[in-house]
């Protein structure tokens, strides 16, 4: 089949022709695009077959490929890179935008965050036909959606506040209090939310009878916010909200993220984080019962060669949970120095597989001591049974480290 | 310094774009390891910058942030006097620029700086991004300095300002677009201020510079040896990478 890139070259109108007669949802923002898009897709599939770039290929050519590969579907769930939003939206003419969050992502590649907000704003303002489902807690998202004709504001909460200190409209200083925010000169403040995600609940501000449990298959507060925005997007296209929430709750893994692999007698739970905000979220997704943690960091072009963001992630609480953390990846030395200054005891590995194999089995029987009597009896009481499938290990990786690790694990599982 | 070393992080909410707040963490960690008690104070935009702290750090930031921080400095006269009188301050990238006589911002406006450094900064028209390695020129520093630079400004030093290092790899204070880079420098030393274009954060990669600042702030001549694993490896890796990926024409 002809690829999206080629099709785009042959006719610049290809995308518009492919998208005509479809109802499309465009998902954009720094973090959570793929997960949210998978959720939108799961929800819309309750209505009819859906075209979607499930592989995460979110540039124009990836969107074209997704639509080409599903010519008969009348619905589309499409994640779109922030900087491609204007050109994709101009042709797709979406029914719904889902705007998640904006934070610094690979600064040395894509430029300043203010520029991303301007692009997103332009896409929204050029598509008055679209309904916008926007995270009102994020000042940059709120700014981008400020003039939207139809907007549903969702308060999702966020662990990351560091990239929206000056407001893009006027450059004033943004003050934040929990979820709320306002500009010091009084010019702008957070739009009133229509919906609020609090812990495991999504509820309507306007109608107290509308309250829904968000019991997801995947971890993290950020994903509950993503789930809410996805279900609300599907509602715009006609799916009742309760059915949408059921559908998005069933999403278990997204292109290998959150998936558990059996490797060398360990159950390795794979988490991806691509930028400081994503790392902060990912740290909240770690299972505190699991004491084996591997962090893998690369510095390829796709990751950004500037690793100084590692110092923006708050690793300082990790020593309380992990007596030691294993590091690997081509920039493991940067990570090791960072973690060391956060008080973490670090063990360095050249290869991810070596790091997995080095994760300790459940604690060995304690050495007998004169005053506790039989060490054998106490070890039986203390040593937890080996979990079926192996020792659980959490593995957190940035973009190319995740990609390479996932490929390696899949190859090992095929053998 | 009284009983503890008090470190002020100025405007971390706008000058923390590139991990530079980590510089304060490194200083605190290395001082504590020598038995010096420390306290890090985050100084926010809506409060006057106190003049009584022992050492200040300022990070890099984007254009809007730079303007906010520049105004904050102007509105903190006691702090200004303390720095003018020689109190130690580490300033990175955007902060280097706003401490100067003036800088030209993204809208091509010339903006008055804090005038604590005898420097001026103008846009180059194209960003300078990559690994930066310099040979230090500040007496007391012997190890190469390494960091990651990402800026669009060319900084020119006046007679009162001395460079921090001579560039081995990278741009540093800047190379005009299209011009063949010759002898070039990074950073500025004047009064108690040490300013550089190096992110990374710079002290994470350059423990000798961190210890230098601790000595300046505490009055100690030297500190006991502190060997932390992985730092030498990180330095070697980064310096090697800088040599390989050198985008500026190498001097023969």
């Amino acid at each position: 089949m002809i690829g999206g890139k080629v099709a785009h070259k042959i006719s610049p109108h290809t995308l518009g022709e492919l998208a005509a007669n479809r109802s499309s949802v465009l998902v954009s923002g720094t973090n959570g695009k793929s997960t949210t898009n998978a959720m939108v897709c799961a929800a819309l599939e309750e209505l009819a077959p859906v075209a979607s770039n499930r592989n995460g290929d979110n540039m124009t050519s990836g969107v074209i490929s997704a639509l080409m590969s599903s010519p008969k579907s009348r619905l589309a769930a499409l994640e779109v890179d922030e900087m491609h939003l204007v050109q994709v939206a101009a042709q797709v003419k979406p029914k719904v935008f889902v705007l998640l969050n904006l934070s610094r992502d690979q600064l040395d590649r894509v430029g300043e965050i203010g520029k991303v907000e301007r692009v997103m704003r332009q896409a929204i303002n050029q598509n008055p036909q679209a309904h916008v489902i926007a995270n009102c807690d994020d000042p940059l998202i709120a700014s981008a959606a400020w003039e939207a004709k139809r907007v549903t504001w969702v308060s999702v909460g966020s662990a990351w506040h560091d990239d929206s200190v000056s407001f893009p409209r006027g450059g004033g200083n943004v003050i934040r209090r929990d979820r709320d925010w306002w500009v010091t000169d009084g010019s702008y403040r957070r739009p009133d939310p229509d919906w609020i995600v609090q812990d495991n609940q999504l509820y309507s501000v306007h109608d107290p009878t509308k309250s829904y449990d968000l019991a997801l298959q995947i971890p993290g507060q950020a994903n509950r916010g993503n789930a809410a925005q996805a279900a609300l997007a599907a509602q715009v296209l006609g799916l009742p909200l309760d059915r949408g929430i059921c559908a998005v709750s069933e999403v278990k893994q997204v292109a290998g993220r959150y998936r558990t692999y059996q490797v060398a007698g360990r159950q390795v739970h794979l988490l991806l984080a691509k930028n400081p905000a994503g790392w902060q979220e990912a740290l909240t997704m770690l299972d505190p019962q699991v004491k084996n943690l591997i962090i893998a960091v690369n510095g390829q072009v796709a990751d950004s060669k500037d690793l100084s963001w590692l110092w923006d992630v708050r690793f300082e609480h990790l020593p309380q949970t992990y007596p030691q953390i294993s590091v690997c990846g081509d920039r493991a030395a940067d990570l090791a120095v960072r973690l060391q200054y956060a008080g973490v005891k670090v063990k360095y590995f050249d290869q991810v597989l070596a790091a997995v194999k080095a994760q300790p089995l459940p604690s060995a029987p304690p050495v007998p001591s004169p005053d506790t009597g039989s060490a054998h009896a106490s070890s039986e009481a203390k040593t937890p049974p080996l979990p079926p499938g192996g020792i659980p290990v959490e593995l957190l990786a940035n973009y190319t480290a995740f990609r390479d690790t996932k490929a390696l694990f899949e190859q090992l599982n095929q053998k | 310094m009284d009983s503890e070393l008090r470190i002020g992080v100025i405007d971390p909410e706008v000058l923390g774009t590139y991990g530079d707040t980590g510089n304060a963490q490194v200083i605190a960690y290395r001082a504590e390891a020598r038995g010096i008690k420390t306290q890090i104070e985050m100084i926010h935009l809506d409060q006057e910058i106190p003049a009584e702290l022992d050492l200040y750090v300022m990070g890099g930031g984007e254009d809007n942030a730079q303007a906010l921080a520049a105004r904050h400095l102007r509105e903190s006269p006691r702090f200004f006097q303390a720095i003018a009188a020689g109190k130690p301050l580490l300033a990175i990238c955007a902060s280097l620029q706003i401490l100067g006589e003036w800088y030209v911002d993204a809208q091509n406006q010339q903006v008055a700086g804090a005038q604590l450094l005898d420097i001026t900064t103008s846009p180059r028209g194209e960003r300078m991004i990559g690994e930066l390695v310099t040979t230090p020129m500040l007496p007391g520093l012997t190890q190469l300095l390494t960091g990651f630079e990402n800026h669009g400004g060319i900084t020119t030093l006046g007679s009162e300002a001395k460079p921090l290092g001579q560039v081995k790899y990278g741009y540093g204070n800047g190379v005009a677009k299209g011009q063949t880079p010759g002898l070039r420098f990074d950073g500025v030393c004047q009064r108690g201020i040490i300013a550089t274009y190096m992110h990374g954060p710079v002290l994470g990669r350059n423990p000798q510079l961190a210890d230098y600042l601790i000595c300046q702030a505490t009055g100690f001549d030297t500190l006991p040896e502190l060997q932390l694993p992985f730092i030498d490896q990180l330095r070697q890796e980064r310096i090697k990478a800088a040599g390989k990926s050198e985008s500026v024409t190498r001097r023969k």
Side-chain angles (χ1 to χ4, degrees):
Chain A
M1 196 180 85
I2 186 170
K5 230 173 223 167
V6 178
H8 187 52
K9 281 221 171 109
I10 294 169
S11 164
H13 305 298
T14 307
L15 178 54
E17 287 156 12
L18 284 165
N21 305 319
R22 295 197 220 220
S23 294
S24 300
V25 177
L26 301 189
V27 179
S28 198
T30 308
N31 283 314
K33 281 189 289 287
S34 296
T35 301
T36 308
N37 190 45
M39 288 171 162
V40 171
C41 187
L44 293 183
E45 275 171 349
E46 297 284 307
L47 297 172
V50 182
S52 188
N53 48 351
R54 292 176 184 82
N55 57 2
D57 188 353
N58 60 21
M59 314 280 181
T60 305
S61 58
V63 170
I64 292 174
S65 298
L67 295 177
M68 284 170 68
S69 66
S70 183
K72 294 217 168 74
S73 61
R74 289 287 158 261
L75 297 170
L78 301 164
E79 70 161 278
V80 183
D81 178 81
E82 301 84 276
M83 299 307 280
H84 288 74
L85 200 56
V86 168
Q87 59 185 105
V88 170
Q91 297 204 46
V92 168
K93 298 280 174 223
K95 288 277 198 306
V96 186
F97 283 105
V98 177
L99 304 186
L100 301 169
N101 51 69
L102 282 181
S103 69
R104 193 159 17 110
D105 189 25
Q106 306 157 354
L107 270 175
D108 60 340
R109 279 203 318 148
V110 292
E112 295 185 359
I113 191 73
K115 189 171 159 196
V116 185
E117 186 274 338
R118 288 195 292 279
V119 169
M120 194 175 258
R121 189 196 303 190
Q122 187 187 347
I124 297 301
N125 291 349
Q126 288 175 352
N127 287 275
Q129 81 287 348
H131 190 118
V132 183
I133 310 289
N135 167 12
C136 62
D137 296 346
D138 186 322
L140 296 171
I141 290 292
S143 175
W146 204 266
E147 284 119 15
K149 294 276 177 281
R150 279 168 288 182
V151 60
T152 299
W153 297 109
V154 190
S155 168
V156 301
S158 159
W160 187 258
H161 288 173
D162 294 1
D163 288 323
S164 46
V165 177
S166 73
F167 198 65
R169 294 165 184 261
N173 190 8
V174 176
I175 304 289
R176 307 189 69 145
R177 292 285 178 272
D178 300 322
R179 295 176 180 220
D180 200 9
W181 57 264
W182 59 91
V183 181
T184 41
D185 59 12
S187 54
Y188 292 89
R189 53 176 290 276
R190 182 181 80 145
D192 292 329
D194 299 299
W195 294 87
I196 294 178
V197 179
Q198 184 85 54
D199 302 323
N200 294 325
Q201 292 275 314
L202 168 67
Y203 63 92
S204 163
V205 174
H206 312 296
D207 181 353
T209 64
K210 287 185 182 162
S211 171
Y212 304 88
D213 280 337
L214 295 168
L216 307 189
Q217 299 283 328
I218 56 175
Q221 177 64 28
N223 282 328
R224 288 189 281 276
N226 294 337
Q229 289 193 257
L232 287 163
Q235 189 186 28
V236 174
L237 296 188
L239 183 69
L241 192 55
D242 54 345
R243 282 181 63 197
I245 286 170
C246 278
V248 301
S249 301
E250 289 306 310
V251 170
K252 288 188 184 65
Q253 58 106 0
V254 181
R257 298 172 204 184
Y258 319 108
R259 220 184 118 177
T260 300
Y261 292 86
Q262 307 292 329
V263 180
R266 275 89 181 161
Q267 299 183 64
V268 188
H269 183 219
L270 209 47
L271 290 164
L272 166 71
K274 290 193 275 198
N275 47 51
W279 277 80
Q280 209 64 60
E281 293 291 358
L283 291 176
T284 70
M285 296 179 194
L286 297 173
D287 180 350
Q289 303 301 318
V290 177
K291 301 300 175 196
N292 301 319
L293 173 60
I294 302 170
I295 305 182
V297 169
N298 279 358
Q300 305 292 320
V301 172
D303 302 303
S304 160
K305 286 178 175 295
D306 178 5
L307 273 267
S308 43
W309 58 265
L310 277 173
W311 292 75
D312 292 327
V313 183
R314 294 183 289 276
F315 292 110
E316 278 65 21
H317 66 281
L318 290 182
Q320 293 159 24
T321 310
Y322 306 97
Q324 176 178 281
I325 294 173
S326 302
V327 302
C328 54
D330 61 27
R331 296 294 290 273
D334 293 70
L335 178 62
V337 169
R338 165 67 186 111
L339 290 176
Q340 182 170 271
Y341 275 119
V344 174
K345 190 161 173 256
V346 178
K347 196 150 169 45
Y348 182 99
F349 293 91
D350 282 329
Q351 301 288 337
V352 66
L353 199 53
V356 171
K357 286 178 176 168
Q359 296 308 304
L361 300 172
S363 51
V367 180
S369 69
D371 49 3
T372 53
S374 161
H376 182 69
S378 70
S379 74
E380 262 181 7
K382 279 181 184 166
T383 306
L386 195 67
I391 309 303
V393 175
E394 296 275 33
L395 198 162
L396 180 54
N398 72 340
Y399 184 62
T400 67
F402 175 92
R403 183 197 66 196
D404 297 349
T405 301
K406 179 174 157 252
L408 173 71
F409 287 179
E410 280 170 0
Q411 190 193 349
L412 289 171
N413 281 354
Q414 277 168 9
K415 277 182 187 167
Chain B
M1 192 187 84
D2 299 327
S3 59
E4 61 180 9
L5 173 64
R6 290 184 301 166
I7 306 151
V9 182
I10 299 172
D11 299 340
E13 65 268 58
V14 292
L15 299 176
T17 310
Y18 300 85
D20 296 321
T21 302
N23 287 324
Q25 279 176 278
V26 172
I27 291 167
Y29 186 102
R30 299 186 68 83
E32 297 269 352
R34 272 67 168 258
I36 302 167
K37 284 205 173 99
T38 64
Q39 191 184 331
I40 297 179
E41 287 191 25
M42 296 291 173
I43 301 157
H44 297 288
L45 277 169
D46 54 357
Q47 58 190 112
E48 190 184 333
I49 307 171
E52 299 77 22
L53 307 186
D54 302 302
L55 172 60
Y56 299 85
V57 299
M58 297 178 74
E62 300 179 2
D63 293 326
N64 275 348
Q66 198 173 19
L68 288 171
R71 197 173 66 203
H72 193 199
L73 291 185
R74 285 196 293 275
E75 290 167 357
S76 297
R78 290 170 51 251
F79 161 78
F80 182 91
Q81 282 159 13
I83 298 299
K87 201 160 257 195
L89 164 66
L90 175 69
I92 311 299
C93 196
S95 294
L96 172 153
Q97 297 177 359
I98 61 177
L99 289 171
E101 294 293 315
W102 50 259
Y103 66 93
V104 176
D105 69 10
Q107 284 74 45
N108 224 19
Q109 299 287 317
Q110 184 171 317
V111 182
Q115 296 168 351
L116 287 162
L117 295 176
D118 184 13
I119 60 169
T120 58
T121 303
S122 302
R124 175 181 193 243
E126 195 176 283
R127 289 187 84 81
M128 293 161 273
I129 303 172
E131 294 286 343
L132 171 60
V133 176
T134 68
T135 306
M137 298 165 71
L138 185 68
L141 298 184
T142 54
Q143 296 174 351
L144 290 180
L145 294 166
T146 157
F148 193 95
E149 64 181 326
N150 182 351
H151 61 106
I154 294 183
T155 295
T156 307
L157 275 58
S159 58
E160 299 294 309
K162 300 278 176 277
L164 172 63
Q166 185 181 329
V167 173
K168 200 168 155 67
Y169 308 117
Y171 297 91
N173 292 340
V175 177
K177 208 168 143 183
Q179 189 186 315
T180 308
L183 188 63
R184 59 198 189 276
F185 301 95
D186 170 64
V188 191
C189 301
Q190 191 179 346
R191 310 173 201 271
I193 302 170
I194 294 179
T196 172
Y197 275 109
M198 291 183 183
H199 301 286
V202 64
L203 300 186
R205 293 192 188 185
N206 301 285
Q208 196 182 43
L209 181 59
D211 288 353
Y212 177 93
L213 285 163
I214 295 170
C215 286
Q216 293 295 307
T218 57
F220 292 127
D221 289 333
T222 55
L223 296 170
E225 189 77 4
L226 176 64
Q227 277 301 329
L228 295 174
F230 308 119
I231 295 176
D232 282 346
Q233 182 190 346
L234 170 62
R235 289 176 52 77
Q236 281 165 19
E237 281 182 18
R238 293 297 93 216
I239 292 166
K240 195 173 159 201
K244 271 189 191 159
S245 70
E246 168 77 302
S247 51
V248 185
T249 313
R250 244 171 273 201
R251 287 188 299 119
K252 298 279 175 352

